[in-house]
Amino acid sequence: MIRKIHRTSKFITKRHEKEYYHQPGTLPGTIIIDENAEQPMIFIIDYNQTNFIREQITNPEDCLNYLDTESVSWVDVQGLGNRDVLERLGKVFDLHPLVLEDVVNMTERPKIEDYEDQLLIIARMVVPKEKGYGFYSEQVSLVLGKYYLLTVQEEAEHDCLEGVRVRIEKNRGIIRKQGADYLAYSLLDAIIDGFFPVLELYGEQIEELEQEVIVKPTPQTLRKIYQIRRELLQLRRAIWPQRDAINSLIRDGSELITDEVRIYLRDCYDHTVQVMDMVETYRELTSGLMDVYLSAVSNKMNEIMKLLTVVSSIFIPLTFVAGIYGMNFNTEKSPYNMPELNWYWGYPLCLAFMAMIAGLLIFFFWRRGWLNNSVDIKHD
């Protein structure tokens, strides 16, 4: 039913994102389960201004007890490794087959789709790695109803939504006074804001590479620059369609989203624009770093060639002198046939003459500045 090009359960910047495609003739709404997917865990948070419930459930049908009330119910599914559970969730929430297919397919492009009484929001969430640089990325699907919000995540290990859970539990802000549409906005805002810590780490890495490129560029430096460019491209591919999706949600609207929440979505859209600007700026900086690296390598090669040229220039006249005296003319035939060959101090005088030539050349090159580095960079 499906073919894997890259096998990995979650998308990490140092690996290629796995890609799927359906074979021709596959029925619409077909659910494909990755064999490496984690088993789903279902958490529910039900709240209003006065009451709060947070628990883990095992049967998807238990959600019906919360969906019939006017309190806001947030059903969070973490993991996609059980077809039966996902199909039962689809029946509980009356999901369209295409919605269920989009939720399970973890390579969907971020988008917004309106299904009359439900609104499907596909987003991509990034979380910085605990050590070093890079990030984890996973798809988050939100299905918004009148009094509920269903979210489906790829796995439970990396998550930037805990802040929203704490706000609901501690009753901070106005989230407990608003409906499910405000909860969807809060999650989208948390997902978008999750890009900033990742970009901050890349800003630090780019600053380190700037000094490394100028002071001591190596082939490893070039690999680092290329790696950052590729990871920034992946961030761009994640945030660009999310910006368009949020913009369409603001522009086109939906009956499930109030005008008050649409105002908040404008702020979320502004954050996506900021993320896009930062990504584009860092990509330009890495392009500049690559140009600086190539220039530094070229300058280093020029310095090496200059040194070799200077050494060759010094030894060319010495070789000329040695070549002349290596011809060994017969002084018995004529006094003009290398009379120096019979001198008592001929050998030391010849060496002294050659040393004098070399010294004069070195002095000449030094006065012209050819022995100095072409670029002198000082660091505080």
Side-chain angles (χ1 to χ4, degrees), residues 9 22 35 48 54 57 69 73 78 142 147 155 181 200 202 209 221 226 240 282 289 302 307 338 343 377:
S9 59
H22 291 277
E35 60 183 10
N48 53 30
R54 181 177 181 178
I57 60 177
T69 63
S73 300
Q78 301 176 1
L142 297 84
Y147 298 111
E155 43 87 21
D181 55 346
E200 187 175 337
Y202 281 109
L209 282 176
T221 305
Y226 174 76
W240 185 286
Y282 288 160
L289 284 179
N302 290 337
L307 178 61
M338 290 290 184
W343 289 0
I377 300 174

Side-chain angles (χ1 to χ4, degrees), residues 35-218:
E35 60 183 10
N36 298 320
E38 298 181 3
Q39 289 298 313
M41 296 184 297
I42 304 175
F43 300 90
I44 187 165
I45 297 178
D46 188 85
Y47 64 90
N48 53 30
Q49 296 188 39
T50 57
N51 299 320
F52 170 82
I53 298 175
R54 181 177 181 178
E55 62 180 357
Q56 181 177 357
I57 60 177
T58 55
N59 298 318
E61 290 76 16
D62 294 339
C63 299
L64 293 172
N65 299 329
Y66 300 95
L67 300 182
D68 294 336
T69 63
E70 294 187 0
S71 60
V72 178
S73 300
W74 175 14
V75 180
D76 187 17
V77 181
Q78 301 176 1
L80 300 170
N82 192 313
R83 178 193 299 272
D84 178 64
V85 171
L86 296 175
E87 291 178 345
R88 289 159 62 189
L89 276 172
K91 293 179 180 179
V92 169
F93 287 90
D94 194 22
L95 299 180
H96 192 280
L98 294 180
V99 173
L100 197 57
E101 178 187 3
D102 291 341
V103 166
V104 174
N105 184 8
M106 288 291 102
T107 59
E108 283 293 327
R109 190 174 188 267
K111 61 181 180 178
I112 304 289
E113 291 190 1
D114 196 344
Y115 288 86
E116 295 183 359
D117 58 342
Q118 290 179 339
L119 188 66
L120 173 64
I121 305 173
I122 303 292
R124 183 155 289 278
M125 176 173 60
V126 297
V127 180
K129 297 180 67 174
E130 294 81 2
K131 296 181 181 179
Y133 299 100
F135 59 89
Y136 302 98
S137 175
E138 64 171 307
Q139 178 177 304
V140 181
S141 304
L142 297 84
V143 180
L144 175 63
K146 187 175 182 180
Y147 298 111
Y148 65 85
L149 179 67
L150 170 65
T151 60
V152 181
Q153 303 182 47
E154 199 170 346
E155 43 87 21
E157 184 178 358
H158 306 100
D159 192 334
C160 66
L161 307 179
E162 187 61 28
V164 179
R165 300 186 184 99
V166 173
R167 283 164 52 193
I168 297 174
E169 183 177 359
K170 303 296 183 181
N171 197 9
R172 297 174 182 172
I174 63 173
I175 191 169
R176 293 266 290 267
K177 301 176 184 179
Q178 301 293 326
D181 55 346
Y182 187 87
L183 174 61
Y185 150 73
S186 300
L187 296 180
L188 282 175
D189 187 60
I191 291 172
I192 300 300
D193 290 345
F195 282 81
F196 289 104
V198 175
L199 290 173
E200 187 175 337
L201 293 176
Y202 281 109
E204 297 175 358
Q205 191 175 8
I206 290 174
E207 289 181 1
E208 295 175 359
L209 282 176
E210 285 179 345
Q211 186 174 8
E212 183 178 340
V213 165
I214 296 176
V215 177
K216 190 178 180 181
T218 62

Side-chain angles (χ1 to χ4, degrees), residues 326-339:
M327 289 187 291
N328 298 324
F329 286 90
N330 187 5
T331 57
E332 296 180 356
K333 293 293 184 179
S334 171
Y336 300 105
N337 289 347
M338 290 290 184

Side-chain angles (χ1 to χ4, degrees), residues 295-356:
S295 298
V297 172
S298 178
N299 290 336
K300 185 177 179 180
M301 180 62 66
N302 290 337
E303 294 295 333
I304 295 174
M305 294 303 298
K306 183 177 70 175
L307 178 61
L308 295 177
T309 303
V310 168
V311 173
S312 301
S313 300
I314 293 174
F315 278 93
I316 285 175
L318 306 184
T319 305
F320 173 75
V321 174
I324 291 178
Y325 282 92
M327 289 187 291
N328 298 324
F329 286 90
N330 187 5
T331 57
E332 296 180 356
K333 293 293 184 179
S334 171
Y336 300 105
N337 289 347
M338 290 290 184
E340 296 86 357
L341 295 177
N342 295 323
W343 289 0
Y344 184 81
W345 299 100
Y347 180 64
L349 288 175
C350 183
L351 292 179
F353 179 67
M354 296 171 68
M356 182 184 67

